Amino acid sequence: MLPKQYRLKKRVAFKATYRTGISYHKDGITLFCGKKKKDNTPTKFGFVVSKKIHKRAVKRNRIKRLLRESLRLYIKNQENFDTQYISIIFAASTKLLNKNFVEINKSVLKLMSIINND
């Protein structure tokens, strides 16, 4: 499970992150980035899988679990994990329905390397 300090929960925070307009896309995952940080607070992450992707909650929740686990492992493997953004949202598309953990993990790693190199 993703540690509490990294969870984005409030609706207002999600809306603020979408409003910035910074986004990256890779293999069915869209990454929305919030404002750049000014202090040393941890980056918060949110996960979104809409009903348009699949009508069954079981399928949507599976995608979210795989994304969360991939991000958790990424954070665990980084010694001094930090990004330059206050909040980041992972939004899924229908391409993720038939993918396994290894494929999703590759996509998440590529996206995280893109935002860390900016």
Side-chain angles (χ1 to χ4, degrees):
M1 179 171 258
L2 196 63
K4 245 183 188 178
Q5 65 184 5
Y6 296 117
R7 295 184 203 162
L8 186 67
K9 296 180 191 174
K10 305 211 180 231
R11 185 182 195 108
V12 175
F14 275 87
K15 284 185 178 183
T17 305
Y18 286 130
R19 242 183 280 133
T20 61
I22 303 168
S23 64
Y24 302 96
H25 185 78
K26 187 74 177 168
D27 298 330
I29 302 172
T30 305
L31 199 73
F32 295 96
C33 300
K35 292 182 180 178
K36 296 207 177 201
K37 283 197 253 187
K38 294 181 176 124
D39 55 356
N40 203 12
T41 58
T43 302
K44 306 247 182 209
F45 295 94
F47 300 91
V48 176
V49 182
S50 97
K51 275 191 176 180
K52 290 180 183 178
I53 305 304
H54 201 279
K55 70 177 186 176
R56 294 187 155 254
V58 172
K59 298 280 188 177
R60 296 193 309 269
N61 289 338
R62 180 179 184 279
I63 292 172
K64 284 192 273 189
R65 280 195 313 270
L66 292 175
L67 287 170
R68 278 190 198 112
E69 181 63 14
S70 178
L71 184 69
R72 186 190 69 80
L73 292 174
Y74 176 78
I75 292 171
K76 183 179 176 185
N77 292 335
Q78 300 292 322
E79 294 219 359
N80 293 324
F81 171 74
D82 198 22
T83 65
Q84 58 186 345
Y85 298 104
I86 294 173
S87 58
I88 297 174
I89 297 175
F90 288 87
S93 72
T94 53
K95 292 181 183 178
L96 293 182
L97 282 173
N98 298 324
K99 289 191 176 185
N100 59 14
F101 177 73
V102 174
E103 296 168 335
I104 290 175
N105 193 26
K106 277 185 188 175
S107 300
V108 169
L109 292 177
K110 286 179 188 175
L111 283 168
M112 293 305 289
S113 67
I114 289 170
I115 65 167
N116 286 333
N117 292 333
D118 278 351

Coordinates of all heavy atoms in Angstrom, one line a residue, residues 26-98:
K26 N 2.0 7.9 -21.9 CA 2.8 6.8 -22.3 C 2.0 5.5 -22.1 O 1.5 5.2 -21.0 CB 4.1 6.8 -21.5 CG 5.1 5.8 -21.9 CD 5.7 6.2 -23.2 CE 6.8 5.3 -23.6 NZ 7.3 5.6 -24.9
D27 N 1.8 4.8 -23.2 CA 1.2 3.4 -23.2 C -0.1 3.3 -22.4 O -0.2 2.4 -21.6 CB 2.2 2.4 -22.6 CG 3.5 2.3 -23.5 OD1 3.3 2.5 -24.7 OD2 4.5 2.0 -22.9
G28 N -1.0 4.2 -22.5 CA -2.3 4.1 -21.9 C -2.4 4.8 -20.5 O -3.4 4.7 -19.8
I29 N -1.3 5.4 -20.1 CA -1.3 6.1 -18.8 C -1.0 7.6 -19.1 O -0.1 8.0 -19.8 CB -0.2 5.6 -17.9 CG1 -0.4 4.1 -17.6 CG2 -0.2 6.4 -16.5 CD1 0.7 3.5 -16.8
T30 N -1.9 8.5 -18.6 CA -1.7 9.9 -18.7 C -1.3 10.4 -17.3 O -1.9 10.1 -16.3 CB -3.0 10.6 -19.2 OG1 -3.4 10.0 -20.4 CG2 -2.7 12.1 -19.4
L31 N -0.3 11.2 -17.2 CA 0.3 11.7 -16.0 C 0.0 13.2 -16.0 O 0.5 13.9 -16.8 CB 1.8 11.5 -15.9 CG 2.5 11.5 -14.6 CD1 2.1 10.3 -13.8 CD2 3.9 11.5 -14.8
F32 N -0.8 13.7 -15.0 CA -1.0 15.1 -14.8 C -0.2 15.6 -13.7 O -0.2 15.0 -12.6 CB -2.5 15.4 -14.5 CG -3.4 15.0 -15.6 CD1 -4.1 13.8 -15.7 CD2 -3.7 15.9 -16.7 CE1 -4.9 13.4 -16.7 CE2 -4.5 15.6 -17.7 CZ -5.1 14.3 -17.7
C33 N 0.6 16.7 -13.9 CA 1.4 17.2 -12.9 C 0.9 18.6 -12.3 O 0.4 19.4 -13.1 CB 2.8 17.4 -13.4 SG 3.6 15.9 -14.0
G34 N 1.0 18.7 -11.0 CA 0.5 20.0 -10.4 C 1.6 21.1 -10.5 O 2.5 21.0 -11.3
K35 N 1.5 22.0 -9.6 CA 2.5 23.1 -9.6 C 3.8 22.6 -9.1 O 3.9 21.6 -8.4 CB 2.0 24.2 -8.7 CG 0.8 24.9 -9.2 CD 0.4 26.0 -8.2 CE -0.8 26.8 -8.7 NZ -1.3 27.8 -7.8
K36 N 4.9 23.4 -9.4 CA 6.2 23.1 -8.9 C 6.3 23.4 -7.4 O 5.7 24.3 -6.9 CB 7.2 23.8 -9.7 CG 7.2 23.4 -11.2 CD 8.5 23.5 -11.8 CE 8.4 23.0 -13.2 NZ 9.6 22.6 -13.8
K37 N 7.1 22.6 -6.7 CA 7.3 22.8 -5.3 C 8.2 24.0 -4.9 O 9.1 24.3 -5.7 CB 7.9 21.6 -4.7 CG 7.0 20.4 -4.5 CD 7.6 19.4 -3.5 CE 8.1 18.2 -4.2 NZ 8.5 17.2 -3.3
K38 N 7.9 24.6 -3.8 CA 8.8 25.7 -3.3 C 9.4 25.2 -2.0 O 10.4 25.7 -1.6 CB 8.0 26.9 -3.1 CG 7.5 27.5 -4.4 CD 6.7 28.8 -4.2 CE 6.4 29.4 -5.5 NZ 5.0 29.6 -5.7
D39 N 8.8 24.3 -1.3 CA 9.3 23.8 0.0 C 9.6 22.3 -0.1 O 9.6 21.8 -1.2 CB 8.3 24.1 1.1 CG 6.9 23.5 0.9 OD1 6.7 23.0 -0.2 OD2 6.1 23.6 1.8
N40 N 9.9 21.7 1.0 CA 10.3 20.3 1.0 C 9.2 19.3 1.4 O 9.5 18.3 1.9 CB 11.5 20.2 2.0 CG 12.4 19.0 1.7 OD1 12.2 18.4 0.7 ND2 13.2 18.7 2.7
T41 N 8.0 19.6 1.1 CA 6.9 18.7 1.3 C 6.9 17.5 0.3 O 7.4 17.7 -0.8 CB 5.5 19.4 1.2 OG1 5.4 19.9 -0.1 CG2 5.4 20.4 2.3
P42 N 6.4 16.3 0.7 CA 6.5 15.2 -0.2 C 5.4 15.4 -1.3 O 4.4 16.0 -1.1 CB 6.1 14.0 0.7 CG 5.4 14.5 1.8 CD 6.0 15.9 2.1
T43 N 5.7 14.8 -2.5 CA 4.8 14.8 -3.6 C 3.7 13.9 -3.3 O 3.9 12.8 -2.8 CB 5.5 14.3 -4.9 OG1 6.7 15.2 -5.1 CG2 4.6 14.4 -6.1
K44 N 2.4 14.3 -3.6 CA 1.2 13.5 -3.4 C 0.8 12.9 -4.7 O 0.9 13.6 -5.8 CB 0.1 14.4 -2.8 CG 0.5 15.1 -1.6 CD -0.2 14.6 -0.4 CE 0.2 15.4 0.8 NZ 0.1 14.6 2.0
F45 N 0.3 11.7 -4.7 CA -0.1 11.0 -5.9 C -1.6 10.6 -5.8 O -2.0 10.1 -4.8 CB 0.7 9.7 -6.1 CG 2.2 10.0 -6.3 CD1 3.1 10.0 -5.3 CD2 2.7 10.2 -7.6 CE1 4.4 10.2 -5.5 CE2 4.0 10.5 -7.8 CZ 4.9 10.5 -6.7
G46 N -2.3 10.7 -7.0 CA -3.6 10.3 -7.1 C -3.8 9.4 -8.3 O -3.0 9.4 -9.2
F47 N -4.8 8.5 -8.2 CA -5.0 7.5 -9.3 C -6.5 7.6 -9.7 O -7.4 7.6 -8.9 CB -4.7 6.1 -8.8 CG -3.3 6.0 -8.3 CD1 -3.0 6.3 -7.0 CD2 -2.3 5.6 -9.2 CE1 -1.7 6.2 -6.6 CE2 -1.0 5.5 -8.8 CZ -0.7 5.8 -7.5
V48 N -6.7 7.7 -11.0 CA -8.0 7.9 -11.6 C -8.3 6.8 -12.7 O -7.5 6.7 -13.6 CB -8.2 9.3 -12.2 CG1 -9.6 9.4 -12.8 CG2 -8.0 10.3 -11.1
V49 N -9.4 6.1 -12.6 CA -9.8 5.2 -13.6 C -11.3 5.4 -13.7 O -12.1 5.0 -12.9 CB -9.5 3.7 -13.3 CG1 -9.9 2.8 -14.4 CG2 -8.0 3.5 -13.0
S50 N -11.7 6.0 -14.8 CA -13.1 6.4 -15.0 C -14.0 5.2 -15.4 O -13.5 4.2 -15.8 CB -13.3 7.6 -16.0 OG -13.6 7.1 -17.2
K51 N -15.3 5.4 -15.2 CA -16.3 4.4 -15.6 C -16.3 4.2 -17.1 O -16.8 3.2 -17.6 CB -17.7 4.8 -15.2 CG -18.0 4.4 -13.7 CD -19.5 4.6 -13.5 CE -19.8 4.1 -12.1 NZ -21.2 4.3 -11.8
K52 N -15.8 5.1 -17.9 CA -15.7 5.0 -19.3 C -14.7 3.8 -19.7 O -14.8 3.2 -20.7 CB -15.2 6.2 -20.0 CG -16.3 7.3 -20.0 CD -15.8 8.6 -20.6 CE -16.7 9.7 -20.5 NZ -16.2 10.9 -21.2
I53 N -13.8 3.6 -18.8 CA -12.8 2.6 -19.1 C -13.4 1.2 -19.0 O -13.2 0.4 -19.9 CB -11.6 2.6 -18.1 CG1 -11.0 4.0 -18.0 CG2 -10.6 1.6 -18.3 CD1 -10.5 4.5 -19.3
H54 N -14.1 0.9 -17.9 CA -14.9 -0.3 -17.8 C -16.0 -0.1 -16.8 O -15.8 0.6 -15.8 CB -13.9 -1.4 -17.3 CG -14.5 -2.8 -17.6 ND1 -15.4 -3.4 -16.8 CD2 -14.2 -3.7 -18.6 CE1 -15.7 -4.6 -17.3 NE2 -15.0 -4.8 -18.4
K55 N -17.1 -0.7 -17.0 CA -18.3 -0.5 -16.1 C -18.2 -1.2 -14.8 O -18.8 -0.8 -13.8 CB -19.6 -0.8 -16.8 CG -19.8 -2.3 -17.0 CD -21.2 -2.6 -17.7 CE -21.4 -4.1 -17.8 NZ -22.7 -4.3 -18.3
R56 N -17.3 -2.3 -14.8 CA -17.2 -3.0 -13.5 C -16.1 -2.5 -12.6 O -15.0 -2.3 -13.0 CB -16.9 -4.5 -13.9 CG -18.0 -5.2 -14.5 CD -17.7 -6.7 -14.7 NE -19.0 -7.4 -14.8 CZ -19.5 -8.1 -13.8 NH1 -18.8 -8.2 -12.7 NH2 -20.6 -8.7 -14.0
A57 N -16.5 -2.2 -11.4 CA -15.5 -1.7 -10.4 C -14.3 -2.6 -10.2 O -13.2 -2.1 -9.9 CB -16.3 -1.4 -9.1
V58 N -14.5 -3.9 -10.3 CA -13.5 -4.9 -10.1 C -12.3 -4.6 -11.1 O -11.1 -4.6 -10.7 CB -14.0 -6.3 -10.3 CG1 -12.9 -7.3 -10.2 CG2 -15.0 -6.6 -9.2
K59 N -12.7 -4.4 -12.3 CA -11.6 -4.1 -13.3 C -10.9 -2.8 -13.1 O -9.7 -2.6 -13.2 CB -12.3 -4.1 -14.7 CG -12.9 -5.4 -15.2 CD -11.8 -6.3 -15.6 CE -12.5 -7.5 -16.2 NZ -11.6 -8.5 -16.8
R60 N -11.7 -1.7 -12.7 CA -11.2 -0.4 -12.5 C -10.2 -0.4 -11.3 O -9.1 0.1 -11.3 CB -12.3 0.6 -12.3 CG -13.1 0.8 -13.5 CD -14.0 2.1 -13.4 NE -14.8 2.2 -12.1 CZ -16.0 1.7 -12.0 NH1 -16.6 1.1 -13.0 NH2 -16.7 1.8 -10.8
N61 N -10.7 -1.1 -10.2 CA -9.8 -1.2 -9.0 C -8.6 -2.0 -9.2 O -7.5 -1.7 -8.6 CB -10.6 -1.8 -7.9 CG -11.7 -0.9 -7.4 OD1 -11.6 0.3 -7.6 ND2 -12.7 -1.4 -6.7
R62 N -8.6 -3.0 -10.1 CA -7.4 -3.8 -10.4 C -6.4 -2.9 -11.1 O -5.2 -2.9 -10.7 CB -7.7 -4.9 -11.3 CG -6.5 -5.7 -11.7 CD -6.8 -6.9 -12.6 NE -5.6 -7.7 -12.8 CZ -4.7 -7.4 -13.7 NH1 -4.8 -6.4 -14.4 NH2 -3.6 -8.2 -13.8
I63 N -6.8 -2.0 -12.0 CA -5.9 -1.1 -12.6 C -5.2 -0.2 -11.6 O -4.0 0.1 -11.6 CB -6.6 -0.3 -13.8 CG1 -6.9 -1.3 -14.9 CG2 -5.7 0.8 -14.3 CD1 -7.8 -0.7 -16.0
K64 N -6.1 0.4 -10.7 CA -5.6 1.3 -9.7 C -4.6 0.6 -8.8 O -3.5 1.1 -8.4 CB -6.7 1.9 -8.9 CG -7.5 3.0 -9.6 CD -8.4 3.7 -8.7 CE -9.7 3.0 -8.6 NZ -10.7 3.8 -7.9
R65 N -4.9 -0.7 -8.4 CA -4.0 -1.4 -7.5 C -2.6 -1.6 -8.2 O -1.6 -1.5 -7.6 CB -4.6 -2.8 -7.2 CG -5.6 -2.7 -6.0 CD -5.9 -4.1 -5.5 NE -6.1 -5.1 -6.5 CZ -7.3 -5.4 -7.0 NH1 -8.4 -4.8 -6.6 NH2 -7.4 -6.4 -7.8
L66 N -2.6 -2.0 -9.5 CA -1.4 -2.2 -10.2 C -0.6 -0.9 -10.3 O 0.7 -0.9 -10.2 CB -1.7 -2.8 -11.6 CG -2.2 -4.2 -11.6 CD1 -2.6 -4.6 -13.1 CD2 -1.3 -5.2 -11.1
L67 N -1.2 0.2 -10.6 CA -0.5 1.5 -10.7 C 0.1 1.9 -9.3 O 1.2 2.3 -9.2 CB -1.5 2.6 -11.1 CG -1.9 2.5 -12.6 CD1 -3.0 3.5 -12.9 CD2 -0.7 2.9 -13.5
R68 N -0.7 1.7 -8.3 CA -0.2 2.0 -6.9 C 1.0 1.2 -6.5 O 2.0 1.7 -6.0 CB -1.3 1.8 -5.9 CG -2.3 2.9 -5.8 CD -3.2 2.7 -4.5 NE -4.3 3.5 -4.7 CZ -5.6 3.1 -4.9 NH1 -5.8 1.8 -4.9 NH2 -6.6 3.9 -5.0
E69 N 0.9 -0.1 -6.8 CA 2.0 -1.0 -6.5 C 3.3 -0.7 -7.3 O 4.4 -0.7 -6.7 CB 1.6 -2.5 -6.7 CG 2.7 -3.5 -6.4 CD 3.1 -3.5 -4.9 OE1 2.3 -2.9 -4.1 OE2 4.1 -4.1 -4.6
S70 N 3.1 -0.4 -8.5 CA 4.3 0.0 -9.3 C 4.9 1.3 -8.8 O 6.1 1.4 -8.7 CB 3.8 0.3 -10.8 OG 4.9 0.7 -11.6
L71 N 4.1 2.3 -8.4 CA 4.6 3.5 -7.8 C 5.3 3.3 -6.5 O 6.3 3.8 -6.2 CB 3.5 4.6 -7.7 CG 4.0 5.9 -7.2 CD1 4.9 6.6 -8.3 CD2 2.9 6.8 -6.9
R72 N 4.7 2.4 -5.7 CA 5.2 2.1 -4.3 C 6.6 1.5 -4.5 O 7.5 1.9 -3.8 CB 4.3 1.1 -3.6 CG 4.7 0.9 -2.1 CD 3.9 -0.3 -1.5 NE 4.2 -1.6 -2.1 CZ 5.3 -2.3 -1.8 NH1 6.2 -1.9 -0.9 NH2 5.5 -3.5 -2.4
L73 N 6.8 0.6 -5.4 CA 8.1 -0.1 -5.6 C 9.1 0.9 -6.1 O 10.3 0.9 -5.8 CB 7.9 -1.2 -6.6 CG 7.2 -2.5 -6.0 CD1 7.0 -3.5 -7.1 CD2 7.9 -3.0 -4.8
Y74 N 8.6 1.8 -7.0 CA 9.5 2.9 -7.5 C 10.0 3.8 -6.4 O 11.2 4.0 -6.3 CB 8.8 3.7 -8.5 CG 9.6 4.9 -9.1 CD1 10.6 4.7 -10.0 CD2 9.4 6.2 -8.6 CE1 11.4 5.7 -10.5 CE2 10.2 7.2 -9.0 CZ 11.1 7.0 -10.0 OH 11.9 8.0 -10.4
I75 N 9.1 4.2 -5.5 CA 9.5 5.0 -4.3 C 10.5 4.3 -3.4 O 11.4 4.8 -2.9 CB 8.3 5.5 -3.6 CG1 7.5 6.5 -4.5 CG2 8.6 6.2 -2.3 CD1 6.1 6.9 -3.9
K76 N 10.2 3.0 -3.2 CA 11.0 2.2 -2.3 C 12.4 2.0 -2.8 O 13.4 2.0 -2.0 CB 10.3 0.8 -2.1 CG 11.0 -0.1 -1.1 CD 10.2 -1.4 -1.1 CE 11.0 -2.4 -0.2 NZ 10.3 -3.7 -0.1
N77 N 12.6 1.9 -4.1 CA 13.9 1.7 -4.7 C 14.7 2.9 -4.8 O 15.9 2.9 -5.0 CB 13.7 1.0 -6.1 CG 13.2 -0.4 -6.0 OD1 13.4 -1.0 -5.0 ND2 12.6 -0.9 -7.0
Q78 N 14.1 4.1 -4.8 CA 14.8 5.4 -4.8 C 15.3 5.7 -3.4 O 14.5 5.8 -2.5 CB 13.9 6.5 -5.4 CG 13.4 6.2 -6.8 CD 14.5 6.3 -7.8 OE1 15.4 7.1 -7.7 NE2 14.4 5.4 -8.8
E79 N 16.5 6.1 -3.3 CA 17.1 6.4 -1.9 C 16.5 7.8 -1.5 O 16.0 7.9 -0.4 CB 18.6 6.5 -2.0 CG 19.1 5.1 -2.2 CD 20.4 4.8 -1.4 OE1 20.8 5.7 -0.7 OE2 20.9 3.7 -1.5
N80 N 16.7 8.8 -2.3 CA 16.1 10.1 -1.9 C 15.0 10.5 -2.9 O 15.3 11.3 -3.8 CB 17.3 11.2 -2.0 CG 18.3 10.9 -0.9 OD1 17.9 10.5 0.2 ND2 19.5 11.2 -1.2
F81 N 13.9 9.8 -2.8 CA 12.8 10.1 -3.7 C 12.3 11.5 -3.6 O 11.9 11.9 -2.5 CB 11.7 9.0 -3.6 CG 10.5 9.4 -4.4 CD1 10.5 9.2 -5.7 CD2 9.4 9.9 -3.8 CE1 9.4 9.5 -6.5 CE2 8.3 10.3 -4.5 CZ 8.3 10.1 -5.9
D82 N 12.2 12.2 -4.7 CA 11.6 13.5 -4.7 C 11.4 13.9 -6.1 O 12.2 13.7 -7.0 CB 12.4 14.5 -3.9 CG 11.6 15.7 -3.5 OD1 10.3 15.6 -3.5 OD2 12.1 16.8 -3.3
T83 N 10.2 14.6 -6.4 CA 10.0 15.2 -7.7 C 9.8 16.7 -7.5 O 9.8 17.1 -6.3 CB 8.7 14.6 -8.3 OG1 7.6 15.0 -7.6 CG2 8.8 13.1 -8.5
Q84 N 9.8 17.4 -8.6 CA 9.7 18.8 -8.5 C 8.2 19.3 -8.4 O 8.0 20.5 -8.3 CB 10.4 19.5 -9.7 CG 9.8 19.0 -11.0 CD 10.7 19.5 -12.1 OE1 11.4 20.4 -12.0 NE2 10.5 18.9 -13.3
Y85 N 7.2 18.4 -8.4 CA 5.8 18.8 -8.4 C 5.2 18.5 -7.0 O 5.5 17.6 -6.3 CB 5.1 18.0 -9.5 CG 5.6 18.3 -10.9 CD1 6.4 17.4 -11.5 CD2 5.3 19.5 -11.5 CE1 6.9 17.6 -12.8 CE2 5.8 19.8 -12.8 CZ 6.6 18.8 -13.4 OH 7.1 19.1 -14.6
I86 N 4.2 19.3 -6.7 CA 3.4 19.2 -5.5 C 2.5 17.9 -5.6 O 2.4 17.2 -4.6 CB 2.5 20.4 -5.2 CG1 3.4 21.6 -5.0 CG2 1.6 20.2 -4.1 CD1 2.6 22.9 -4.9
S87 N 1.9 17.7 -6.7 CA 0.9 16.6 -6.9 C 1.0 16.0 -8.3 O 1.3 16.7 -9.2 CB -0.5 17.0 -6.6 OG -0.9 18.1 -7.4
I88 N 0.8 14.7 -8.4 CA 0.8 14.0 -9.6 C -0.4 13.1 -9.7 O -0.7 12.4 -8.7 CB 2.1 13.2 -9.8 CG1 3.3 14.2 -9.9 CG2 2.0 12.3 -11.1 CD1 4.6 13.5 -9.9
I89 N -1.1 13.0 -10.8 CA -2.3 12.1 -11.0 C -2.0 11.2 -12.1 O -1.6 11.6 -13.2 CB -3.6 12.9 -11.2 CG1 -3.9 13.8 -10.1 CG2 -4.7 12.0 -11.6 CD1 -5.1 14.7 -10.3
F90 N -2.2 9.9 -11.9 CA -2.1 8.9 -12.9 C -3.6 8.6 -13.4 O -4.4 8.2 -12.6 CB -1.6 7.6 -12.3 CG -0.1 7.6 -12.1 CD1 0.4 8.1 -10.8 CD2 0.8 7.3 -13.0 CE1 1.7 8.1 -10.6 CE2 2.2 7.3 -12.8 CZ 2.6 7.7 -11.5
A91 N -3.8 8.8 -14.7 CA -5.1 8.5 -15.2 C -5.0 7.4 -16.3 O -4.1 7.5 -17.1 CB -5.7 9.8 -15.9
A92 N -5.8 6.4 -16.2 CA -5.7 5.2 -17.0 C -6.6 5.3 -18.3 O -7.7 6.0 -18.2 CB -6.1 4.0 -16.2
S93 N -6.3 4.6 -19.3 CA -7.1 4.5 -20.5 C -7.5 3.0 -20.7 O -7.0 2.1 -20.0 CB -6.5 5.0 -21.7 OG -5.4 4.2 -22.1
T94 N -8.3 2.7 -21.7 CA -8.7 1.3 -21.9 C -7.5 0.4 -22.3 O -7.7 -0.8 -22.2 CB -9.8 1.3 -23.0 OG1 -9.3 1.9 -24.2 CG2 -11.0 1.9 -22.6
K95 N -6.4 0.9 -22.7 CA -5.3 0.1 -23.1 C -4.7 -0.7 -21.9 O -4.1 -1.7 -22.1 CB -4.1 1.0 -23.7 CG -4.5 1.6 -25.0 CD -3.3 2.4 -25.4 CE -3.6 3.1 -26.7 NZ -2.5 4.0 -27.2
L96 N -5.0 -0.3 -20.7 CA -4.5 -0.9 -19.5 C -5.3 -2.2 -19.1 O -4.8 -2.9 -18.3 CB -4.4 0.0 -18.3 CG -3.4 1.2 -18.5 CD1 -3.4 2.0 -17.2 CD2 -2.0 0.6 -18.7
L97 N -6.5 -2.3 -19.7 CA -7.3 -3.5 -19.2 C -6.7 -4.8 -19.4 O -6.8 -5.7 -18.5 CB -8.6 -3.4 -20.0 CG -9.7 -2.4 -19.5 CD1 -10.8 -2.4 -20.4 CD2 -10.1 -2.7 -18.1
N98 N -6.0 -5.0 -20.5 CA -5.4 -6.3 -20.8 C -3.9 -6.4 -20.5 O -3.3 -7.4 -20.8 CB -5.7 -6.7 -22.2 CG -7.1 -6.8 -22.5 OD1 -7.9 -7.3 -21.6 ND2 -7.5 -6.4 -23.7

